[in-house]
Amino acid sequence: MKFLPYALLLILPLAAGHADPLTPEESETPAAPYLLPGAPVFDVTISRFRESFNTTNPGLPLNEFRAIETSRDKTNLTRAATKINENLYASTALERGTLKIKSMQITWLPIQGPEQKAARAKALQYMAAVLRSFTPGLSAAQSQARLTRLLSAGKNQRYFSQTEGAIRYVVSDSGEKGLTFAVEPIKLALTDALEGNNK
């Protein structure tokens, strides 16, 4: 049971396929986008992100991330996680070698009873702070509003994503089993129209 929360941190890549059950023709769930060859990275290492996050959010500390040993994906990425409290964890997928971030995730494991409301509020604070860290033009209120919209759109979905600019926001809502919010970079490509305007 000791390692159960860390196993739950890996639900996002496993849930990255369809929200509906697989059809007989689908032999396996498609990989999460950040697992694909050539997936982009944020231009920041996990240690620099943590240092900046803790400075900007003194009331929401992130402890040092520790590598998670897994037989999967060893060739192209490293997984790491840190425990925030008994029901809240941060995890990340890092580019192997550089340790630059490919995906930053916050996972909340819902609890029952009188502490649930406060625990959820704390989880949402961390999620909004991570969102704001990768979208620095947003105010605290704007990041909370964007997070609320994303969580509402992704409610009860194993995988929901929305792209804004060079960022992909991902929600994996497994109800009582946990809620994961992630921020990932995407590759931007010039459209034909844009290229035509520059001629």
Side-chain angles (χ1 to χ4, degrees):
M1 292 301 286
K2 176 181 176 183
F3 299 104
L4 179 60
Y6 287 106
L8 287 173
L9 292 172
L10 304 178
I11 64 172
L12 190 57
L14 297 176
H18 307 285
D20 301 323
L22 295 176
T23 63
E25 293 81 23
E26 295 173 307
S27 59
E28 62 182 52
T29 303
Y34 67 83
L35 294 173
L36 300 176
V41 298
F42 288 114
D43 192 23
V44 62
T45 63
I46 188 61
S47 58
R48 296 226 15 218
F49 167 79
R50 181 177 161 264
E51 179 183 337
S52 173
F53 185 92
N54 285 346
T55 299
T56 306
N57 305 283
L60 303 171
L62 284 177
N63 296 320
E64 184 177 348
F65 284 77
R66 305 230 181 245
I68 300 172
E69 288 300 323
T70 173
S71 58
R72 299 178 322 177
D73 314 317
K74 278 192 171 182
T75 56
N76 65 343
L77 63 84
T78 298
R79 297 181 187 275
T82 185
K83 179 179 176 179
I84 298 168
N85 61 39
E86 291 302 319
N87 54 33
L88 191 58
Y89 299 83
S91 60
T92 185
L94 307 171
E95 182 179 51
R96 202 156 195 69
T98 68
L99 298 184
K100 289 183 177 179
I101 297 171
K102 296 171 79 74
S103 178
M104 177 57 63
Q105 308 169 5
I106 298 290
T107 297
W108 179 54
L109 306 177
I111 59 173
Q112 301 301 317
E115 302 296 318
Q116 183 181 33
K117 187 174 181 181
R120 180 176 171 81
K122 178 64 74 176
L124 297 182
Q125 286 180 328
Y126 271 93
M127 291 175 184
V130 165
L131 187 155
R132 193 167 55 255
S133 294
F134 292 101
T135 319
L138 295 181
S139 67
Q142 288 171 325
S143 62
Q144 286 282 0
R146 182 171 294 182
L147 176 68
T148 299
R149 287 195 307 271
L150 291 164
L151 294 181
S152 177
K155 188 171 179 60
N156 298 322
Q157 294 191 49
R158 288 176 53 217
Y159 182 80
F160 168 82
S161 72
Q162 182 174 315
T163 298
E164 293 186 30
I167 304 288
R168 177 190 302 110
Y169 303 110
V170 180
V171 175
S172 179
D173 186 350
S174 299
E176 293 182 3
K177 293 181 180 178
L179 171 66
T180 296
F181 173 74
V183 181
E184 302 167 2
I186 63 168
K187 287 182 178 177
L188 292 177
L190 291 175
T191 64
D192 291 339
L194 182 59
E195 289 174 343
N197 290 338
N198 290 332
K199 288 181 181 177

